Amino acid sequence: MEIQELFNLYKKEREYQKQMFGEYETNSALNLASFLNFIDVTLNKAKEMYVGAWTRDLPEWLKKCIEAESQGTAPVRSYEYLIKIFVLAGAALESYTEIEVDKWRTKDQTDKNKWRKE
């Protein structure tokens, strides 16, 4: 999947969530802890669906996935939950932060090399 397609998917699901649930930042009952809980619950559902029933018939929106190509079946519901997790994380950042993107990950070179094998 191309990065731009991922952004478009995010925008589409985010618009759906706004229509269904409203603007998160205006809901005083929600906070970062709420989102962490939503993400945790949704991740557990994704895991359950991964070990649960898979399907041979991919939905229209899922053109291909590695499992279907190698095994002939796919954990479609897991992918659905994964999309929701992706958008929930983004919605929490949108609702509760202002981030200077240009300053993200600008630490010195040692940080960049810390995961490389020598």
Side-chain angles (χ1 to χ4, degrees):
M1 179 173 215
E2 298 289 326
I3 290 174
Q4 191 57 48
E5 290 174 307
L6 194 57
F7 289 141
N8 291 341
L9 174 63
Y10 174 85
K11 288 182 207 175
K12 187 170 186 176
E13 178 65 15
R14 187 72 179 97
E15 282 305 312
Y16 169 80
Q17 287 182 6
K18 284 181 183 179
Q19 289 175 356
M20 296 302 293
F21 307 111
E23 295 288 344
Y24 294 129
E25 64 267 15
T26 61
N27 185 335
S28 61
L30 295 176
N31 56 34
L32 180 58
S34 304
F35 277 87
L36 294 173
N37 188 53
F38 293 155
I39 291 167
D40 188 46
V41 167
T42 308
L43 179 59
N44 285 332
K45 289 178 182 178
K47 290 177 189 177
E48 288 172 16
M49 294 295 108
Y50 188 83
V51 297
W54 288 24
T55 182
R56 291 189 183 287
D57 301 318
L58 297 184
E60 196 174 285
W61 58 267
L62 185 59
K63 293 189 285 187
K64 68 177 186 174
C65 66
I66 194 167
E67 296 88 357
E69 290 178 353
S70 66
Q71 299 177 32
T73 61
V76 172
R77 297 284 293 154
S78 289
Y79 282 112
E80 289 174 359
Y81 285 121
L82 196 58
I83 292 166
K84 291 177 184 178
I85 292 165
F86 168 60
V87 177
L88 282 170
L93 292 171
E94 280 181 42
S95 300
Y96 306 118
T97 66
E98 281 189 37
I99 296 173
E100 184 70 42
V101 176
D102 293 338
K103 294 184 179 180
W104 172 251
R105 298 248 187 234
T106 58
K107 287 188 175 182
D108 65 14
Q109 191 64 25
T110 58
D111 228 20
K112 292 177 185 176
N113 291 326
K114 110 177 166 182
W115 301 107
R116 293 185 181 160
K117 291 183 179 181
E118 299 198 19

